[in-house]
């Protein structure tokens, strides 16, 4: 059984649900780190598969350009070394068009709800 896609015959994105501190559910697309993205704005979560076969958030962030922040400039990400050291293997993305304030609210809600280790100051 493929843990990433329980039905590999269906070529659809894998969706992972994350919950914010507000108890709001957000559905993200899951991909391995290194997948190319379009220049779209949104929220992203670096994650890893835990022993209980659930996804653990390693780092939550937001960007106005997925292609730059988590593709082209990934090695320059200010937390990249700690994200890799924490074992992140995948990235979840949620496209949030247009509204910067909404994107920041979602990122903050998720950071507070997930308590991801690489976001701790």
């Amino acid at each position: 059984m493929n843990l990433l896609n329980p039905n590999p015959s269906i070529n659809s994105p894998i969706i992972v649900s994350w919950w914010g501190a507000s108890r709001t559910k957000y559905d993200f697309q899951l991909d391995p780190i290194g997948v190319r993205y379009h220049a779209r704005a949104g929220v992203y979560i670096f994650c890893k598969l835990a022993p209980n076969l659930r996804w653990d958030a390693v780092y939550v962030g937001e960007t106005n350009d997925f292609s730059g922040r988590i593709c082209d400039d990934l090695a320059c990400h200010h937390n990249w070394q700690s994200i890799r050291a924490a074992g992140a293997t995948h990235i979840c993305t949620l496209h949030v068009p247009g509204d910067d304030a909404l994107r920041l609210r979602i990122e903050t809600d998720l950071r507070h709800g997930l308590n991801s280790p690489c976001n701790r100051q």
Side-chain angles (χ1 to χ4, degrees), residues 24-83:
T24 301
K25 177 183 161 191
Y26 303 95
D27 292 329
F28 282 67
Q29 179 174 321
L30 176 74
D31 293 296
I33 292 174
V35 166
R36 301 293 306 169
Y37 291 95
H38 296 286
R40 298 177 4 167
V43 178
Y44 60 93
I45 301 173
F46 285 102
C47 59
K48 63 182 178 181
L49 193 60
N52 63 0
L53 303 181
R54 296 187 58 123
W55 292 100
D56 282 345
V58 171
Y59 179 85
V60 179
E62 61 82 24
T63 184
N64 63 0
D65 180 0
F66 284 138
S67 69
R69 185 68 169 154
I70 58 177
C71 293
D72 300 336
D73 300 329
L74 185 56
C76 297
H77 190 287
H78 68 284
N79 269 349
W80 180 238
Q81 294 305 318
S82 62
I83 290 166

Side-chain angles (χ1 to χ4, degrees), residues 41-43 62-65 96-108:
V43 178
E62 61 82 24
T63 184
N64 63 0
D65 180 0
V96 182
D99 191 348
D100 292 350
L102 175 58
R103 189 174 71 237
L104 291 170
R105 269 194 313 275
I106 292 170
E107 183 226 8
T108 300

